[in-house]
Amino acid sequence: MSDSPRPRITRPPLLVRILAANALVVLLGAVVGTILTRQLAERSTLGLMLGFAALGVAVSLLLNYVVLRRALRPLSDLTRAVDRIEVDPVDARVPMVFRDDSDLARLTTALNTMLDR
């Protein structure tokens, strides 16, 4: 067996992850909406239509909240690290935990470089 390290697989940038997650939510809504529309086409009423529209919006908002909260978690972690720096700028550094996101890794490196000056 070789002792060489395996190549590190990086995650896509934050923007791409957010766009993909939102596309998934829209796709899911379209599929479920189409299935419900086909099932209820004969007995459709204005109240039923408005109810399903409200339910669709509520589910979409909930799914987007969960997905975006997860996708933006690295930014929340970085914000907390910056808050710690504000309290104790001499010894504080941002831990390099964002290696799998090149944008956040560059931001972390730049922030630590500025703190070293």
Side-chain angles (χ1 to χ4, degrees):
M1 286 186 91
S2 170
D3 287 336
S4 63
R6 283 190 269 165
R8 186 171 183 86
I9 299 173
T10 59
R11 290 168 49 184
L14 187 58
L15 177 63
V16 172
R17 291 194 320 257
I18 290 172
L19 286 174
N22 277 311
L24 185 62
V25 169
V26 168
L27 177 65
L28 181 64
V31 169
V32 171
T34 301
I35 291 170
L36 285 175
T37 299
R38 292 187 75 192
Q39 295 292 324
L40 302 172
E42 308 86 47
R43 50 185 171 205
S44 181
T45 65
L46 180 61
L48 187 62
M49 184 177 67
L50 291 175
F52 276 115
L55 180 64
V57 169
V59 169
S60 178
L61 286 173
L62 178 65
L63 284 175
N64 269 306
Y65 173 79
V66 169
V67 166
L68 289 173
R69 185 170 167 93
R70 181 163 162 47
L72 295 173
R73 186 178 302 145
L75 287 179
S76 295
D77 294 344
L78 192 56
T79 300
R80 281 192 295 280
V82 169
D83 288 342
R84 287 191 306 273
I85 291 168
E86 192 173 36
V87 172
D88 184 14
V90 175
D91 294 324
R93 294 295 175 271
V94 179
M96 184 55 82
V97 295
F98 308 111
R99 285 187 175 88
D100 59 347
D101 188 309
S102 62
D103 293 333
L104 291 175
R106 281 194 346 246
L107 181 59
T108 300
T109 301
L111 189 57
N112 285 332
T113 300
M114 288 188 307
L115 288 167
D116 289 337
R117 291 182 183 167

